[in-house]
Amino acid sequence: MTKDNPVHAPPAATSAQASGSPWVLRDYALIADGERGALVGPRGEIAWMCAPAWHDGAVFSGLLGGPGAYRVSPCDPWNVWGGYYEDGTLIRVSRWVTADGIASCREALAAPAGTGRLVLLRQIRAERGDARVRVDLDARGDFGRHPMAHVHHDGHAWRARTGPLHLRLTGADNARPGPGGGLHTEVHMPEGAVHDLVLEIGDRASGAHLDASSLWDATERWWDAAVPDCADTVAPRDTRMAYAVLHGLTSTRGGMVAAATTSLPEHAATGRDYDYRYAWIRDQCYAGLAVAAHGPHPLLERAVRFVAERVLADGPHLRPAYTVGGDAVPGERSLPLPGYPGGSDRIGNRAGRQFQLDVFGEALQLFAAAARHDLLDAQGAEAARIAVDAVAGHWARPDAGLWELEQRWWTHSRLCCVVGLRDLARELNTRGAGDWSRMADQILSSTRARCLHPHGHWQRAADDPGPDAALLLPLARGAVHPRDPSLALTRAQVARQLTYDGYVYRFRHGQQLLGEAEGAFLLCGFMMALAARTEGREAEAVRWFERTRSACGPAGLFAEEYDVAQRQLRGNLPQAFVHAQLLECSARLASSAGAAVTRW
């Protein structure tokens, strides 16, 4: 707080006034500390944050039309918003140009973070001219069920409860409680002044001193240690951003959520709205493999630890997804919220009970990559052997596949296992490695007999002759020799049938035109770049990479899909595996052309 005590209490605002209608997804930014994340909107509102963990109930659910918000924004509604991330971090600076000057708010979730307690830092600055900034805090625990209660000032900070959660806010001594339990105030600051707000939310009351300067210093050091320079990649700044997103989505317990949100529509009113606040084994492997392509990094070690623990615990019954702590994903249920326009209010995920063969193949690739960097310990090696046994016992069985659809003989799942078995045999080179290689040959031979189209390209499934862009990834990673005609023919088939305006779609939905059923799938755009590189078509690979890289919002975040016609993000935000594939592409495209074929 500045010395002239610039906090003033205006009349209370309602929750609706503080939150308003949602923005298009590209306009949101993310702050995260590994244990939870928050979406920040252009009005300076925290539109979405679950607490104390990713999969817990939201305390700010305005993104889905629910109550609860934490807003810091200029009092003057006549303003233009903008903002940026401090390079290589998820420290966000929201910025508003008003008729009288420029105000900003630097914000972050303090790190290193604990699992039961979060600290949200907001630092208001009067950059040019005097600043008058409105602050509204209305926390509503468990998706809006619990308004703030027992609101009082203890002489040092405001304290309150929202359901079982305890709140503490410093920097707003002159705030006034509203009729609904929230807190409201204004901050008046002369040019150059800085004012700190610190919000703590936890599962128990805390007496720890909340010193804004110390918390900011620790958070800056945490990000500085977490994100490498990436000057050796083709897109250093975006690659640092990808590292920051992956780091921000990964818990100290190892699990990385697929995205920070739930129920954001892939396509309006289609029912494809899912809860991605869980750790998918496949996504975790993608992130670990991406980091391994660049070099050893704690994210690789965390991915290996998390996947190994899950394989050791569940063996052939490995689930596709878990909570970040390794627990089972709850089944789907609905909330009494309007949902994001075109979406729903669904939480939980039925995919947690599916059998997806490809996750074993991805796990084997991850373990092999760890071994290549001398990071595979005895626990990881044992998990690798269990995963091999699971492939041996189940590779011929129909599964739900990468896209979590009906049980079929999906080509992609088998090719992933081929790659994983070969990688592991090469990197471990231990007793039994020869058997792993022979198993890979057997699976490839059987899959070739059932899933290679008469025209020479790979088809989606034994009973589906259509193309699937997902096939490009195992082909790029060595399921077949780089000069095997099926690679070039499959990539050409995907380019002809599943691309538009330089963007790649997953597969066709019946007779619908591309873009009618869903958006371009950004993961697949980066897969196309990797496949082109494996073919030795470097210029084409860069072209696919750059086109896909353009499909982010102003904050630099990628969702799962991109609406090409409307240039809008679709699906949950930010999507971890898209950022992982950007990282991998950026690292591999910077290496020599021959590096892609060294496995042969």
Side-chain angles (χ1 to χ4, degrees):
M1 184 179 296
T2 53
K3 293 182 179 179
D4 55 346
N5 195 26
V7 182
H8 304 271
T14 66
S15 178
Q17 288 173 323
S19 59
S21 60
W23 299 84
V24 293
L25 296 181
R26 68 186 180 195
D27 288 342
Y28 288 102
L30 172 79
I31 56 175
D33 63 11
E35 306 301 338
R36 76 287 295 172
L39 258 58
V40 185
R43 299 184 188 91
E45 75 275 23
I46 303 296
W48 179 257
M49 187 175 76
C50 299
W54 291 106
H55 59 272
D56 287 326
V59 292
F60 306 126
S61 54
L63 187 69
L64 299 188
Y70 180 22
R71 179 181 176 186
V72 174
S73 62
C75 295
D76 182 359
W78 188 253
N79 65 75
V80 175
W81 65 272
Y84 58 91
Y85 281 107
E86 296 179 3
D87 194 7
T89 76
L90 290 185
I91 297 173
R92 180 73 178 174
V93 178
S94 298
R95 195 168 181 268
W96 302 275
V97 179
T98 69
D100 299 321
I102 300 175
S104 67
C105 183
R106 188 182 190 225
E107 40 217 355
L109 282 167
T115 57
R117 168 182 175 265
L118 69 90
V119 177
L120 201 164
L121 306 175
R122 308 191 85 168
Q123 187 177 80
I124 308 168
R125 299 174 179 176
E127 295 191 6
R128 191 178 72 197
D130 294 350
R132 295 178 67 249
V133 176
R134 178 68 185 243
V135 178
D136 298 292
L137 172 62
D138 183 18
R140 302 285 184 110
D142 197 17
F143 303 103
R145 288 189 176 92
H146 305 295
M148 287 172 61
H150 310 296
V151 181
H152 66 283
H153 196 280
D154 67 1
H156 303 282
W158 283 99
R159 290 183 179 268
R161 294 283 299 272
T162 173
L165 298 176
H166 298 257
L167 279 71
R168 183 166 48 143
L169 176 68
T170 66
D173 290 345
N174 293 334
R176 181 180 301 169
L183 291 167
H184 315 278
T185 191
E186 285 183 6
V187 178
H188 297 179
M189 304 165 59
E191 181 174 284
V194 174
H195 183 85
D196 284 296
L197 298 165
V198 181
L199 174 65
E200 177 190 59
I201 301 177
D203 54 14
R204 58 180 62 93
S206 171
H209 181 52
L210 296 177
D211 179 68
S213 179
S214 299
L215 290 165
W216 276 114
D217 287 345
T219 302
E220 290 162 3
R221 290 195 301 271
W222 188 73
W223 282 111
D224 186 60
V227 178
D229 177 70
C230 302
D232 54 346
T233 66
V234 297
R237 188 165 180 264
D238 281 1
T239 308
R240 288 192 293 271
M241 184 67 187
Y243 263 110
V245 170
L246 297 176
H247 187 69
L249 297 180
T250 302
S251 168
T252 54
R253 292 167 287 181
M256 178 193 74
V257 291
T261 56
T262 180
S263 300
L264 299 185
E266 296 177 6
H267 203 71
T270 60
R272 292 199 303 276
D273 321 311
Y274 307 107
D275 190 348
Y276 282 3
R277 300 171 300 147
Y278 305 103
W280 264 256
I281 295 295
R282 178 189 304 105
D283 298 31
Q284 195 93 49
C285 293
Y286 283 171
L289 288 166
V291 170
H294 186 224
H297 184 275
L299 283 174
L300 172 58
E301 298 177 61
R302 289 187 188 179
V304 172
R305 171 165 53 89
F306 183 82
V307 175
E309 288 173 352
R310 306 285 77 71
V311 172
L312 290 171
D314 294 339
H317 304 293
L318 180 70
R319 298 173 182 267
Y322 297 82
T323 68
V324 294
D327 296 324
V329 172
E332 288 184 350
R333 65 183 178 92
S334 293
L335 300 168
L337 300 178
Y340 187 86
S344 67
D345 59 350
R346 183 179 303 168
I347 59 172
N349 200 299
R350 65 177 182 272
R353 298 186 296 274
Q354 289 182 342
F355 168 62
Q356 298 172 12
L357 175 67
D358 68 296
V359 300
F360 292 101
E362 299 291 358
L364 292 177
Q365 294 174 54
L366 177 67
F367 296 145
R372 187 164 65 251
H373 288 290
D374 295 323
L375 294 175
L376 191 70
D377 59 14
Q379 175 179 272
E382 177 61 22
R385 284 187 282 272
I386 291 173
V388 168
D389 290 343
V391 172
H394 298 282
W395 70 264
R397 171 185 166 191
D399 72 299
L402 165 68
W403 305 132
E404 300 175 345
L405 302 171
E406 67 276 11
Q407 300 280 319
R408 292 168 72 178
W409 224 77
W410 298 107
T411 309
H412 169 269
S413 296
R414 277 108 200 122
L415 294 183
C416 283
C417 291
V418 170
V419 177
L421 289 166
R422 285 179 176 164
D423 284 357
L424 195 69
R426 183 180 61 255
E427 297 299 337
L428 291 192
N429 194 26
T430 60
R431 181 180 178 182
D435 293 337
W436 303 342
S437 293
R438 285 187 287 274
M439 190 194 312
D441 293 341
Q442 178 189 2
I443 295 172
L444 180 62
S445 176
S446 180
T447 307
R448 190 182 292 272
R450 297 184 63 173
C451 302
L452 191 68
H453 193 276
H455 292 166
H457 58 81
W458 294 95
Q459 59 188 45
R460 288 190 74 202
D463 59 347
D464 187 340
D468 190 327
L471 294 169
L472 297 174
L473 191 58
L475 293 175
R477 288 183 170 161
V480 299
H481 192 281
R483 290 188 293 276
D484 188 308
S486 67
L487 168 57
L489 290 169
T490 302
R491 202 178 65 79
Q493 183 78 349
V494 170
R496 279 194 302 270
Q497 295 197 30
L498 297 179
T499 68
Y500 175 74
D501 198 26
Y503 296 101
V504 184
Y505 293 76
R506 292 190 298 173
F507 52 82
R508 286 192 174 271
H509 292 260
Q511 300 302 311
Q512 291 182 285
L513 298 175
L514 294 179
E516 286 188 356
E518 63 182 17
F521 217 76
L522 299 179
L523 178 75
C524 297
F526 290 125
M527 289 177 176
M528 176 71 89
L530 290 174
R533 178 184 177 274
T534 299
E535 274 191 72
R537 304 170 74 98
E538 297 288 327
E540 189 172 345
V542 170
R543 187 169 70 247
W544 287 109
F545 172 73
E546 293 295 347
R547 189 58 165 161
T548 307
R549 187 164 70 107
S550 71
C552 62
L557 301 178
F558 293 89
E560 189 172 39
E561 298 179 15
Y562 184 66
D563 187 319
V564 177
Q566 298 188 54
R567 301 181 187 272
Q568 297 286 359
L569 305 184
R570 301 287 185 234
N572 285 296
L573 182 78
Q575 192 74 26
F577 63 29
V578 179
H579 292 269
Q581 284 289 279
L582 184 152
L583 194 165
E584 182 172 352
C585 279
S586 187
R588 293 196 183 281
L589 289 174
S591 64
S592 65
V597 299
T598 53
R599 69 174 69 246
W600 292 92

